[in-house]
Amino acid sequence: MTVISESVKEMEGYNLHIVKTEKFKTNTLVWKMKAPISKEEVTLRALLPYVLQSSSKKYPSSTKLRAFLDELYGASFYVDLAKKGDYHVISFALEIANEKFLSDKTPLLRIGMEFLAEILTNPNVANNAFEQDTVEKEKRTHKQRIQSNYDDKMKYSSTRLVEEMCKGERYALHVHGEMDEVAGITAQSLFSYYKKAFSEDELDLYVIGDVSEDEVAAIAHEKIKFSPRQPKLVERSEAVAEREVKTINEVQDVKQGKLNIGFRTNIFYGDEDYYALQVLNGIYGGFSHSKLFINVREKASLAYYAASRLESHKGLMMVMSGIEHRNYEQAVAIINEQMAAMKKGDFSEQELAQTKAVIRNQLLETIDTARGIVEILYHNVVSHQNITLDHWLEQMERATKEDIVKVAQKIQLDTVYFLTGQEAVQ
Amino acid sequence: MEKITFEQLQEELYYEKLANGLDVYILPKRGFNKTYATFTTKYGSVDNHFIPLGKEEFVKVPDGIAHFLEHKLFEKEDGDVFQQFSRQGASANAFTSFTRTAYLFSSTSNVELNLETLMDFVQEPYFTEKTVEKEKGIIGQEITMYDDNPDWRLYFGLIENLYQNHPVKIDIAGTIDSISHITKDMLYECYNTFYHPSNMLLFVVGPVDVEKIMNQIKENQAKKPFESQPEIKRRFEAEKKEANEGKKILEMNVQTPKCLLGIKALHHDQSGMEMLKNELTTNVLLDMLFGKSSVNYEQLYNEGLIDDTFSYDYTQESGFGFAMIGGDTSNPEQLVARLKEMLFAIKNGGLTEEALLRTKKKKIGGFLRAVNSPEFIANQFTRYAFNEMNLFDVVPTLEKMTIDEVKRVANEFISEERLSVCQIMPKKK
């Protein structure tokens, strides 16, 4: 069985990935650009997509641009930033109705691709600078965007854990950059960064929908061209040697304590051990049948949520839970006990089987959305591998109890972060 | 079994009302891996004053009980239903809204088995004093989590401003105090009153064999001895037309202020096509006023009053409804002043045919995007059906909408006396 059939074509300066499927009533285009995340450029890079999406030469104001998208049957267009391991990834996503389902038969896919090309290659620029006003407005919004991370305590505590745990590593940088750096950005400096990014980044275009591959390739070839490049890669960081567990308590005016715990797995996407690690995470904390949910929530009644997730391109596993301040010790103890149980192989064949079934289900569900398909396929670009989803599922199904216990041995507790409303009682 | 075809969308919907009163809908989705099913009762947080089944007197139940019941239905004598679903490769969930409680699963295998589990766990309650007590700790943490969430506080703060008596103003999960009074007997009383099949709807969407699934559901239901139940009697106190309070400021541990302007619905007694038209027209109006392609949006953005968290929405249910406009802002007072100016200016003109056409196109495309999602179809179809509306009337109704209708709605809906504002401000040090 082939669950996704992806065709990849080498284009000028980028790869074109097409997934032809009839299940959607829309066509989805996602443009991705990836570069190593760096302290010097992270804030510039984070601001760039917001400036690009707000106007272009042809659509010089955001009102004109948005009116054009509304006319295209409300095409949805948005940008997104992500950290994938040591890389900073920008996405531009356009989802546009398939005219097959409309009484009006305007060729929307072609118009959509032309629009995307316009945004990427024809920005509103004069004298080697973006338009001043736009840049200033977007800087203001961007500051608010950075600041809003503080107001959402679940996000805040996750970011703080990474900051503490990965101090000195690229991964500690924030996806939206630094507040202090925003003011210094100028319309000129942002435009030079634009040129740099489009000549050095690794570029990929995904087209998902009921499309003709030849037609898409022809339009892409005609409209979107960049110079050839050799993508910059970051060497995989050395495994961090086991060190003393770092404990951070931060006091703020919050009603619920947020407990975030970071483990180093030192296992990356596509590694031999990676599939067993996925199953391990599933048994430990990935689902509502997992050990964390059962023991922290159902048995001890300490929390509404208690879960773990993997950062596959950085070799980390993160646990998160919201608890009462006074239950900190007990919650940490349970979370550690459950990890000890994983290391001892203290889990049943049934837990193993049900976790595999749920992981398979989750992946198959993910590819029922166009964005899900893109995100799954993009793992291969980030890791420079070529793992099909079928292979992924097969390897995951093969993981044995022994494999999982072996993987569990490699997992090191690194940092315990607690955002609490109450000073520690001595 | 009735078959309804939507030609333009290339979708087919199958419907049957079973002998016990349950409404069953199946929408086959070819090419998809997953099947998504929801089993929903027309019972939410607002249904807190009613005559229990077999009784004669109205009772008032503790705030948060519908949501509490939703949690407790997952626990059975022999364990947790989540476990059973995941053994069967499914992922299960549930949610409680103002007017509905929905139980759902999605799975890419064992669909029939999972569907059986869904119907059986919802229809076989098992509540004990011990498990009820244990749940209070878990839900207590859910409530505390929302207490720290400024967007949630802002949203409920505004509803509290708009409504004086209607239970929509009560937080869906209740408070730590209100849930402390919940007992297993109260849960059974609510369950017996509201979980009769005649008050429920089952929706299945996915790559399924329609005939087979319908037969399975019928067989499952036929095995269960439901006696026919009289109509449920709910009571709502009279609610004034005007907003209850004009303004509220909440201080929280945030850095960026937040601000929402709300307008209380004018019609509290609509249903069916009338409601669908009114809700849709009001949403079109808001989109023409504040959509990203509007002049207003551009001005507010240029003036530094809004950012990409800015949003607007209008929802209407039987007995309550509201529009909400706003988001994060560096200057809530100025944002409110400008929003009011824009709202009242539109009553004097400015709604153009051209903008309506654009908004219609946008909404039609948005609907196509939405029906890619099995979750959207099942959940929204159910919400529409409980209000005697049909989700698939959205596009034809949009197509027929005229500028005069939008103007009429603008004139009657926008009113100072039904308007209110809620703000979240950073705590003063």
Side-chain angles (χ1 to χ4, degrees):
Chain A
M1 177 180 74
T2 310
V3 282
I4 309 179
S5 66
E6 176 192 23
S7 97
V8 186
K9 289 185 166 63
E10 209 175 306
M11 309 293 285
E12 289 173 69
Y14 63 100
N15 281 324
L16 171 64
H17 310 246
I18 302 173
V19 176
K20 186 174 160 51
T21 163
E22 289 180 6
K23 64 180 158 186
F24 305 121
K25 302 205 184 319
T26 50
N27 293 316
T28 299
L29 315 175
V30 181
W31 178 261
K32 291 209 174 252
M33 20 204 317
K34 153 180 163 289
I37 194 165
S38 74
K39 195 168 185 318
E40 296 70 35
E41 289 177 343
V42 62
T43 312
L44 269 171
R45 187 172 174 83
L47 180 62
L48 179 65
Y50 295 101
V51 169
L52 289 178
Q53 74 153 356
S54 69
S55 65
S56 75
K57 269 267 155 56
K58 195 170 168 191
Y59 311 106
S61 73
S62 87
T63 312
K64 291 205 170 79
L65 189 146
R66 289 288 158 184
F68 174 77
L69 290 169
D70 288 358
E71 290 288 348
L72 281 189
Y73 286 89
S76 91
F77 175 55
Y78 60 92
V79 298
D80 176 44
L81 289 164
K83 271 195 301 183
K84 298 275 174 195
D86 289 328
Y87 298 99
H88 202 190
V89 178
I90 302 175
S91 305
F92 293 85
L94 181 74
E95 192 180 344
I96 190 165
N98 184 332
E99 60 269 20
K100 211 166 84 176
F101 302 98
L102 296 170
S103 37
D104 172 358
K105 300 295 176 202
T106 312
L108 297 176
L109 178 66
R110 167 170 272 275
I111 300 174
M113 289 183 71
E114 285 171 357
F115 171 80
L116 189 61
E118 164 78 16
I119 294 293
L120 301 174
T121 62
N122 199 20
N124 198 5
V125 173
N127 303 321
N128 274 320
F130 285 110
E131 206 217 355
Q132 186 81 30
D133 265 9
T134 308
V135 174
E136 289 310 318
K137 265 187 296 188
E138 292 306 321
K139 277 164 68 178
R140 190 172 59 207
T141 307
H142 199 67
K143 281 188 196 163
Q144 228 154 285
R145 195 174 287 127
I146 294 172
Q147 195 170 280
S148 72
N149 186 57
Y150 178 89
D151 300 345
D152 180 335
K153 299 306 170 195
M154 262 154 102
K155 269 198 213 159
Y156 176 80
S157 58
S158 302
T159 338
R160 287 284 297 123
L161 169 66
V162 169
E163 218 173 68
E164 293 291 346
M165 182 171 172
C166 302
K167 217 169 234 174
E169 301 171 58
R170 284 177 192 268
Y171 194 67
L173 294 166
H174 297 166
V175 71
H176 287 119
E178 292 304 321
M179 189 63 125
D180 304 344
E181 301 281 325
V182 180
I185 296 175
T186 65
Q188 288 78 15
S189 67
L190 190 63
F191 183 63
S192 0
Y193 184 72
Y194 162 82
K195 286 191 293 189
K196 178 171 188 243
F198 276 87
S199 57
E200 293 179 359
D201 276 15
E202 182 164 8
L203 307 174
D204 292 273
L205 173 60
Y206 290 85
V207 180
I208 318 290
D210 189 7
V211 297
S212 136
E213 284 183 28
D214 293 342
E215 188 197 352
V216 170
I219 307 173
H221 177 71
E222 180 191 335
K223 295 288 168 191
I224 309 175
K225 288 177 197 176
F226 295 99
S227 55
R229 73 235 15 242
Q230 207 51 47
K232 291 197 174 152
L233 302 182
V234 184
E235 288 278 313
R236 179 195 283 216
S237 37
E238 296 272 307
V240 177
E242 188 138 19
R243 55 186 184 195
E244 208 179 309
V245 176
K246 214 179 187 181
T247 308
I248 311 282
N249 255 316
E250 184 173 338
V251 179
Q252 264 191 25
D253 181 7
V254 288
K255 290 197 174 148
Q256 183 177 62
K258 306 282 187 227
L259 177 60
N260 291 67
I261 299 181
F263 294 89
R264 300 263 175 188
T265 68
N266 297 311
I267 298 165
F268 287 62
Y269 183 87
D271 285 2
E272 203 191 332
D273 285 339
Y274 179 70
Y275 307 96
L277 175 66
Q278 281 284 349
V279 181
L280 180 149
N281 176 60
I283 298 174
Y284 180 58
F287 302 100
S288 54
H289 70 266
S290 307
K291 288 185 178 297
L292 292 182
F293 190 90
I294 297 301
N295 291 286
V296 181
R297 172 173 150 144
E298 295 301 314
K299 289 199 180 144
S301 198
L302 292 186
Y304 172 63
Y305 67 95
S308 66
R309 62 173 186 84
L310 296 174
E311 167 51 55
S312 298
H313 299 286
K314 180 65 189 168
L316 307 178
M317 183 166 77
M318 309 299 202
V319 169
M320 61 227 96
S321 184
I323 55 171
E324 254 181 68
H325 312 298
R326 63 181 166 85
N327 290 331
Y328 169 78
E329 303 284 342
Q330 194 191 349
V332 173
I334 297 174
I335 292 166
N336 285 333
E337 273 162 30
Q338 294 309 312
M339 182 46 77
M342 295 305 301
K343 290 184 195 255
K344 280 192 303 210
D346 190 0
F347 52 88
S348 64
E349 281 304 317
Q350 184 189 303
E351 282 173 278
L352 181 62
Q354 85 189 105
T355 300
K356 287 178 177 177
V358 175
I359 291 175
R360 164 178 282 276
N361 184 56
Q362 191 179 46
L363 267 147
L364 292 178
E365 285 194 16
T366 305
I367 60 169
D368 274 347
T369 67
R371 277 311 295 266
I373 294 175
V374 174
E375 290 313 311
I376 283 183
L377 295 177
Y378 197 63
H379 283 301
N380 280 328
V381 174
V382 176
S383 59
H384 279 252
Q385 308 228 24
N386 190 12
I387 299 163
T388 63
L389 189 52
D390 299 80
H391 179 78
W392 198 112
L393 289 168
E394 223 176 86
Q395 293 297 308
M396 185 274 297
E397 298 282 5
R398 239 180 240 169
T400 62
K401 186 165 183 171
E402 291 66 43
D403 297 334
I404 294 165
V405 171
K406 194 183 97 196
V407 163
Q409 305 307 319
K410 300 188 181 177
I411 295 181
Q412 307 157 4
L413 173 61
D414 187 293
T415 303
V416 179
Y417 169 86
F418 191 44
L419 177 66
T420 172
Q422 150 187 310
E423 307 277 349
V425 185
Q426 293 298 310
Chain B
M1 187 160 63
E2 195 185 326
K3 172 178 164 183
I4 313 155
T5 308
F6 306 103
E7 246 166 60
Q8 193 73 57
L9 286 173
Q10 301 178 20
E11 298 284 9
E12 287 169 353
L13 178 67
Y14 295 82
Y15 167 66
E16 190 160 341
K17 193 186 236 340
L18 305 192
N20 64 16
L22 180 66
D23 284 321
V24 182
Y25 290 88
I26 304 173
L27 191 136
K29 270 265 182 206
R30 271 166 271 284
F32 273 67
N33 295 309
K34 91 166 144 195
T35 295
Y36 180 80
T38 58
F39 196 12
T40 312
T41 163
K42 190 177 175 180
Y43 168 54
S45 64
V46 301
D47 301 303
N48 65 349
H49 196 184
F50 58 88
I51 301 181
L53 182 68
K55 302 260 174 75
E56 315 235 304
E57 299 290 316
F58 274 94
V59 299
K60 254 197 168 163
V61 288
D63 294 347
I65 196 166
H67 170 259
F68 202 103
L69 203 169
E70 172 227 299
H71 271 239
K72 276 333 309 158
L73 220 40
F74 280 92
E75 194 160 328
K76 302 295 167 204
E77 197 166 2
D78 55 353
D80 186 332
V81 186
F82 282 124
Q83 292 283 345
Q84 194 182 337
F85 274 115
S86 71
R87 276 199 298 274
Q88 296 162 194
S91 110
N93 214 334
F95 63 84
T96 306
S97 73
F98 294 127
T99 53
R100 289 175 289 147
T101 312
Y103 300 85
L104 56 98
F105 77 83
S106 61
S107 77
T108 54
S109 59
N110 303 322
V111 170
E112 283 128 64
L113 192 57
N114 287 315
L115 184 59
E116 207 69 6
T117 305
L118 176 70
M119 289 186 283
D120 290 347
F121 101 81
V122 173
Q123 294 184 322
E124 287 159 15
Y126 172 77
F127 308 133
T128 68
E129 290 301 351
K130 197 176 154 219
T131 61
V132 166
E133 285 316 306
K134 188 208 75 183
E135 204 66 24
K136 289 176 182 173
I138 297 171
I139 296 179
Q141 284 313 306
E142 187 177 3
I143 292 169
T144 321
M145 177 179 85
Y146 281 108
D147 278 345
D148 276 336
N149 182 320
D151 290 306
W152 187 254
R153 297 277 303 277
L154 180 69
Y155 176 70
F156 265 95
L158 183 57
I159 298 175
E160 278 172 24
N161 278 1
L162 292 172
Y163 283 86
Q164 182 185 28
N165 296 320
H166 197 282
V168 66
K169 64 188 269 186
I170 300 164
D171 195 312
I172 292 167
T175 63
I176 292 186
D177 178 59
S178 75
I179 64 169
S180 73
H181 304 293
I182 291 174
T183 65
K184 85 170 198 322
D185 294 335
M186 288 180 196
L187 292 179
Y188 275 115
E189 192 168 74
C190 293
Y191 182 86
N192 292 330
T193 308
F194 292 105
Y195 281 69
H196 189 273
S198 60
N199 193 44
M200 298 186 73
L201 190 154
L202 179 59
F203 201 110
V204 182
V205 46
V208 294
D209 177 336
V210 175
E211 200 86 24
K212 208 166 140 196
I213 292 287
M214 189 60 93
N215 286 335
Q216 183 197 342
I217 295 170
K218 278 192 201 163
E219 268 171 43
N220 177 291
Q221 291 301 294
K223 277 187 290 191
K224 296 172 182 167
F226 283 103
E227 283 173 35
S228 71
Q229 184 178 318
E231 199 193 333
I232 301 166
K233 294 260 188 299
R234 300 165 165 92
R235 179 179 283 171
F236 297 98
E237 280 180 58
E239 177 70 38
K240 60 183 176 187
K241 272 194 155 184
E242 306 84 51
N244 190 41
E245 274 174 81
K247 186 175 171 183
K248 176 159 42 196
I249 298 175
L250 302 168
E251 289 189 356
M252 284 185 77
N253 173 27
V254 296
Q255 291 182 343
T256 315
K258 292 173 185 287
C259 173
L260 273 183
L261 181 150
I263 305 176
K264 189 172 181 173
L266 178 61
H267 302 289
H268 283 149
D269 50 0
Q270 290 179 329
S271 66
M273 189 43 105
E274 197 186 16
M275 185 187 224
L276 186 137
K277 265 190 177 166
N278 191 58
E279 188 179 67
L280 216 48
T281 315
T282 313
N283 271 306
V284 164
L285 169 69
L286 290 177
D287 206 81
M288 291 171 75
L289 269 164
F290 300 116
K292 280 189 171 172
S293 63
S294 69
V295 178
N296 289 338
Y297 183 91
E298 187 177 39
Q299 284 180 2
L300 295 171
Y301 200 90
N302 288 351
E303 290 162 19
L305 293 173
I306 60 172
D307 64 13
D308 39 21
T309 61
F310 180 78
S311 71
Y312 50 87
D313 184 44
Y314 175 74
T315 43
Q316 190 178 336
E317 296 282 344
S318 170
F320 65 93
F322 35 77
M324 291 194 178
I325 309 159
D328 292 2
T329 179
S330 52
N331 191 342
E333 293 298 331
Q334 182 61 17
L335 176 61
V336 168
R338 295 287 284 129
L339 288 175
K340 281 190 184 179
E341 264 173 50
M342 290 165 174
L343 284 163
F344 289 103
I346 209 70
K347 296 177 95 165
N348 301 322
L351 291 166
T352 66
E353 199 77 64
E354 188 201 346
L356 173 62
L357 208 64
R358 196 165 63 222
T359 297
K360 280 186 182 183
K361 276 191 167 179
K362 176 180 172 182
K363 293 245 167 223
I364 291 168
F367 190 81
L368 278 190
R369 203 158 58 234
V371 295
N372 278 337
S373 154
E375 291 86 343
F376 172 86
I377 295 176
N379 292 321
Q380 287 305 309
F381 189 92
T382 304
R383 178 179 104 79
Y384 275 64
F386 282 170
N387 286 311
E388 287 135 48
M389 314 190 282
N390 183 341
L391 178 66
F392 293 98
D393 284 337
V394 166
V395 172
T397 308
L398 273 169
E399 281 172 341
K400 274 182 263 170
M401 193 180 295
T402 66
I403 191 75
D404 289 335
E405 285 170 315
V406 182
K407 284 180 183 165
R408 186 183 53 76
V409 166
N411 272 322
E412 64 170 35
F413 179 61
I414 300 167
S415 134
E416 184 71 51
E417 59 174 22
R418 279 182 289 106
L419 188 150
S420 181
V421 171
C422 188
Q423 298 174 4
I424 303 281
M425 295 299 286
K427 242 180 200 166
K428 292 183 192 87
K429 291 273 148 62

